[in-house]
Amino acid sequence: MKGSLIIVGFFILGIVVGHADLAPALLRDSDVSFVALCGLLFCVGLGIGMNPDTKRDLRSINPRYALLPLVTILGSWLGAVVAWLMLHRGFADTMAINSGFAYYSLSSIFITEFRGVELGTIALLANIIREMITLLLAPLLAKVFGPLAPITAGGATSMDTTLPIITHTIGDRYTALSIYHGFVVDFTVPFLVTMWCMI
């Protein structure tokens, strides 16, 4: 959770610096966000590529769990439909925010580029909250809904930031599945967020 709090702290610092008009002209250029996004995607790919156990871990997954990322995506979208009905916000906006699947850094940049700062901020906060819920409530989710619940709740973060609490809660035998799930959901975020933003 420390990492999430640090990220929220930098987000708040950015708001203060932007509001006080202290940001240098270079940071106001819209291309900076795109360059940072490309760097972020490169680092994610590098981390996956450098892991020597990736292939072995993926081969050890039970084939019947291969569709878990799809279940996560469809379940998340169902939750977004419920939120849309309650909040009366634009349908495509609600679906785009939800399609971040807790990958707040990437999804909020895309949404800000396509739909503006307000929606990008909402996306950032919504996806941070999803990660926090997983970190704080993983044992309760596993107890009430079963061992796969913390993995699906973690969304894209089930392969990194929420992985330790997930494995601690449901056991090491789900580690490979959690990594696979996070990788697949993570990979869909740029495509699905962009798709909803363009509707």
Side-chain angles (χ1 to χ4, degrees):
M1 191 180 317
K2 181 182 176 184
S4 297
L5 293 174
I6 290 170
I7 289 168
V8 172
F10 272 100
F11 172 68
I12 292 169
L13 179 63
I15 291 173
V16 171
V17 169
H19 184 68
D21 203 24
L22 299 173
L26 174 68
L27 292 179
R28 296 176 193 174
D29 185 3
S30 62
D31 290 340
V32 172
S33 295
F34 179 73
V35 171
L37 174 62
C38 291
L40 180 65
L41 290 173
F42 175 77
C43 289
V44 169
L46 191 66
I48 292 167
M50 288 175 56
N51 184 354
D53 300 324
T54 300
K55 288 182 182 177
R56 178 180 55 82
D57 290 343
L58 293 178
R59 277 193 231 113
S60 70
I61 296 170
N62 187 327
R64 67 187 179 136
Y65 290 140
L67 294 177
L68 185 62
L70 179 62
V71 172
T72 297
I73 292 167
L74 295 177
S76 297
W77 283 354
L78 183 61
V81 170
V82 172
W84 170 68
L85 292 171
M86 292 170 55
L87 301 175
H88 306 291
R89 182 127 198 153
F91 181 74
D93 290 349
T94 306
M95 297 301 281
I97 291 168
N98 191 272
S99 295
F101 308 120
Y103 197 167
Y104 45 80
S105 53
L106 184 65
S107 61
S108 60
I109 291 173
F110 273 115
I111 292 172
T112 299
E113 293 288 328
F114 280 100
R115 295 294 178 99
V117 175
E118 179 188 357
L119 204 66
T121 303
I122 294 170
L124 177 71
L125 295 174
N127 285 291
I128 286 176
I129 289 169
R130 179 172 181 163
E131 181 183 347
M132 294 280 197
I133 287 171
T134 306
L135 290 168
L136 296 172
L137 301 181
L140 181 63
L141 291 170
K143 184 177 181 181
V144 175
F145 300 107
L148 299 181
I151 298 174
T152 58
T157 68
S158 68
M159 70 173 184
D160 45 53
T161 55
T162 60
L163 182 61
I165 189 66
I166 288 170
T167 55
H168 176 74
T169 301
I170 60 177
D172 290 338
R173 65 194 175 116
Y174 289 99
T175 300
L177 175 62
S178 189
I179 293 170
Y180 159 76
H181 172 269
F183 174 75
V184 173
V185 173
D186 191 313
F187 184 75
T188 68
V189 169
F191 303 105
L192 296 179
V193 169
T194 302
M195 177 188 79
W196 287 113
C197 284
M198 295 180 74
I199 291 177

